[in-house]
Amino acid sequence: QVYLVESGGGLVRAGESLRLSCASSGDTFGNYAMAWFRQRPGEEREYVGAISQTGRGTDYADFVKARFTISRDYTKDTVYLQMRGLTPDDAAVYYCAAGPSFPSRRYDYWGQGTQVTVSS
């Protein structure tokens, strides 16, 4: 069992940056690939990107276009989503997830989400 808690969301202006964090507890952090998803208003949840169990592999959705970076800190059992050049289209609830496979779009454990709002 893995428990995930996201933080770092908030209100930013277009063009600014924001870093989301996801703290993991329960099962061994290094056993899981970690991913970020987002759900924009009125839309289905969509994949943002993921990082492998070792941290040496990353995968991103096409829309990220090198603006976002996923990293993980094994000393803090935390995964991060660094977002740059935010636009109003990036406004969403962002979720982190944990699963056994990388790369994958299917994950077993989910956080509760953190809201990101981007003003134009």
Side-chain angles (χ1 to χ4, degrees):
Q1 182 70 38
V2 176
Y3 305 92
L4 303 171
V5 179
E6 301 96 334
S7 61
L11 172 64
V12 297
R13 297 177 180 176
E16 293 185 339
S17 300
L18 196 64
R19 189 179 79 161
L20 306 182
S21 301
C22 173
S24 175
S25 61
D27 201 355
T28 303
F29 181 60
N31 287 347
Y32 293 90
M34 303 297 294
W36 288 94
F37 288 75
R38 72 182 187 184
Q39 187 165 19
R40 294 183 289 179
E43 299 190 14
E44 294 185 354
R45 188 165 57 192
E46 63 180 343
Y47 174 78
V48 174
I51 187 166
S52 66
Q53 286 88 331
T54 64
R56 289 194 288 268
T58 53
D59 178 67
Y60 297 98
D62 289 342
F63 71 82
V64 168
K65 297 181 180 179
R67 297 183 301 128
F68 297 178
T69 303
I70 298 175
S71 60
R72 63 192 298 168
D73 184 338
Y74 297 90
T75 67
K76 297 180 179 179
D77 289 356
T78 298
V79 62
Y80 302 99
L81 176 64
Q82 177 68 54
M83 302 185 289
R84 303 174 184 84
L86 287 163
T87 75
D89 285 343
D90 295 314
V93 178
Y94 283 75
Y95 300 89
C96 73
S101 301
F102 174 85
S104 174
R105 304 298 174 95
R106 299 183 66 178
Y107 291 83
D108 299 326
Y109 304 102
W110 294 83
Q112 83 290 348
T114 186
Q115 177 74 52
V116 173
T117 304
V118 184
S119 64
S120 58

